[in-house]
């Protein structure tokens, strides 16, 4: 399949997942970002109130899925925060080495780092005018 068809299929899968999580407060869809960390890609997912035990990661080819659950607060008398189960699937923005994901949950943010297949490293060359670049000059 070509990339536009795969991208559209991914959008449809995500939409289906969102519809499945509809509840009284609407679907719970944690916000997420990707960052480039030179040799790694990192996925950051906002999951306040979610225990590490309820989180599950599944890497499948060019996608990674994250599921988890935020329980309802006991004796809740009003509120806006959705609770229940969520599931999000993401397509890797760049190629990664399979099964290299390392997860960390801190301050309500799940960070999963994946080793890039083709790392990009920023190198800066500093030239010094007091040192010649060629011998004998």
């Amino acid at each position: 399949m070509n990339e536009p068809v795969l991208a559209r299929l991914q959008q449809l899968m995500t939409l289906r997942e969102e519809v499945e999580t509809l509840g009284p407060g609407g679907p719970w869809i944690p916000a997420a970002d990707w960052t480039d960390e030179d040799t790694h890609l990192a996925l950051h997912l906002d999951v306040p109130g979610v225990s590490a035990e309820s989180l599950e990661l599944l890497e499948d080819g060019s996608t990674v899925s994250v599921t988890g659950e935020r329980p309802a607060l006991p004796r809740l008398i009003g509120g806006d925060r959705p609770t229940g189960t969520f599931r999000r699937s993401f397509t890797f923005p760049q190629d990664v080495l399979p099964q290299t994901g390392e997860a960390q949950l801190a301050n309500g943010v799940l960070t999963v780092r994946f080793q890039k297949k083709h790392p990009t490293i920023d190198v800066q060359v500093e030239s010094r005018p007091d040192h010649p670049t060629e011998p004998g000059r």
Side-chain angles (χ1 to χ4, degrees):
M1 283 191 202
N2 61 25
E3 286 187 33
V5 171
L6 289 175
R8 184 66 180 143
L9 285 173
Q10 181 65 38
Q11 289 173 338
L12 290 172
M13 286 176 44
T14 300
L15 180 60
R16 179 189 57 85
E17 291 168 359
E18 291 171 3
V19 169
E20 287 175 355
T21 62
L22 289 175
W28 180 36
I29 305 167
D33 295 313
W34 283 103
T35 57
D36 185 332
E37 298 180 353
D38 296 328
T39 60
H40 289 76
L41 291 178
L43 174 64
H44 308 273
L45 196 69
D46 289 345
V47 290
V50 175
S51 70
E53 293 79 29
S54 79
L55 290 167
E56 183 178 316
L57 293 164
L58 176 63
E59 185 182 329
D60 185 23
S62 64
T63 63
V64 60
S65 298
V66 182
T67 58
E69 182 176 6
R70 179 166 53 198
L73 296 172
R75 303 180 64 176
L76 183 67
I77 56 173
D80 296 331
R81 299 179 332 134
T83 59
T85 302
F86 73 88
R87 177 184 167 94
R88 292 228 31 206
S89 294
F90 304 91
T91 301
F92 291 111
Q94 296 178 18
D95 290 338
V96 298
L97 293 175
Q99 307 302 316
T100 59
E102 295 179 6
Q104 177 183 9
L105 179 62
N107 300 320
V109 177
L110 173 66
T111 302
V112 188
R113 295 178 74 233
F114 300 91
Q115 189 174 343
K116 287 182 185 179
K117 193 174 224 176
H118 307 287
T120 54
I121 301 174
D122 241 353
V123 177
Q124 295 181 1
V125 177
E126 188 177 306
S127 67
R128 296 176 52 183
D130 58 328
H131 287 59
T133 56
E134 294 180 28
R137 288 197 170 197

